[in-house]
Amino acid sequence: MEIHFSFLLPAAMGAAMPAKRKEPTAHVHSPAIEDYLEQIHNLIEGKGYARVVDIAQNLSISQASVTNMIQKLDAEGYLVYERYRGVILTEEGRKIGQEIARRHEVLTRLLSTFGLDADTVHHDVEGMEHHISRQTLDVLTLLMEELEGNPELLKKLKRKMTRP
């Protein structure tokens, strides 16, 4: 008796293969550019303005390094920089900063929900936020919201984490 497994191969039957992802995992912008735009976005949201000194302090780097990157981001159209006055994001810069801040917030909330220590959460989020696709972020957002709305499920999952 001969058995055929062609039904397991969609292409063999003329069926369409799954669509490729619309957004790559790696983002168009470097992690450094994303970090700057995120910081500037957060400063503007929190204080109403962003200055080189504040960006340098938040990123723990020199003001000279910040000024160099700010000038590059200005030349690339992500922000407008006026010496001694501060930084204003362009529409493109604002969109990127907002998106990175959203990724950071979702990942931080999700990992913190499980009681991980703040240093671990911070370290892991800083690595993940630059490499996660929008689709994956949407899935993690949905999971986070479900966990926050279902304390019993969250408690059950936390118990499973503590088992050997």
Side-chain angles (χ1 to χ4, degrees):
M1 179 165 127
E2 191 173 322
I3 301 174
H4 295 280
F5 294 100
S6 60
F7 66 91
L8 295 174
L9 305 170
M13 300 302 290
M17 294 299 286
K20 290 186 178 183
R21 287 170 35 144
K22 294 179 182 142
E23 179 188 339
T25 300
H27 297 274
V28 176
H29 314 287
S30 73
I33 288 173
E34 290 183 347
D35 282 340
Y36 274 87
L37 295 175
E38 177 188 16
Q39 275 305 318
I40 295 165
H41 167 78
N42 289 342
L43 283 165
I44 291 171
E45 287 291 307
K47 296 172 77 172
Y49 59 89
R51 300 176 308 163
V52 169
V53 64
D54 298 320
I55 299 164
Q57 182 179 0
N58 288 358
L59 293 175
S60 300
I61 56 178
S62 74
Q63 290 184 36
S65 294
V66 171
T67 299
N68 288 337
M69 179 61 97
I70 293 295
Q71 290 170 343
K72 176 182 175 184
L73 294 173
D74 188 356
E76 292 183 16
Y78 295 117
L79 55 83
V80 176
Y81 171 62
E82 290 184 34
R83 194 176 175 125
Y84 307 115
R85 302 206 78 184
V87 176
I88 300 168
L89 291 172
T90 62
E91 185 61 25
E92 180 67 15
R94 188 189 63 73
K95 284 180 187 175
I96 296 166
Q98 209 169 31
E99 180 62 24
I100 298 299
R102 177 177 172 255
R103 288 186 222 158
H104 189 103
E105 186 262 338
V106 167
L107 292 168
T108 299
R109 276 178 52 202
L110 180 62
L111 296 177
S112 296
T113 297
F114 285 93
L116 298 176
D117 68 271
D119 287 340
T120 299
V121 170
H122 176 75
H123 181 265
D124 289 348
V125 167
E126 286 301 314
M128 291 187 293
E129 71 183 350
H130 301 294
H131 304 285
I132 190 169
S133 70
R134 179 170 287 125
Q135 294 87 354
T136 299
L137 185 67
D138 290 344
V139 168
L140 295 176
T141 301
L142 178 66
L143 286 170
M144 177 193 60
E145 290 169 352
E146 287 299 316
L147 288 171
E148 289 175 343
N150 188 339
E152 289 304 314
L153 176 58
L154 181 58
K155 194 182 301 183
K156 179 180 176 181
L157 293 174
K158 284 181 177 180
R159 277 195 307 268
K160 286 185 175 191
M161 286 178 56
T162 59
R163 290 185 191 154

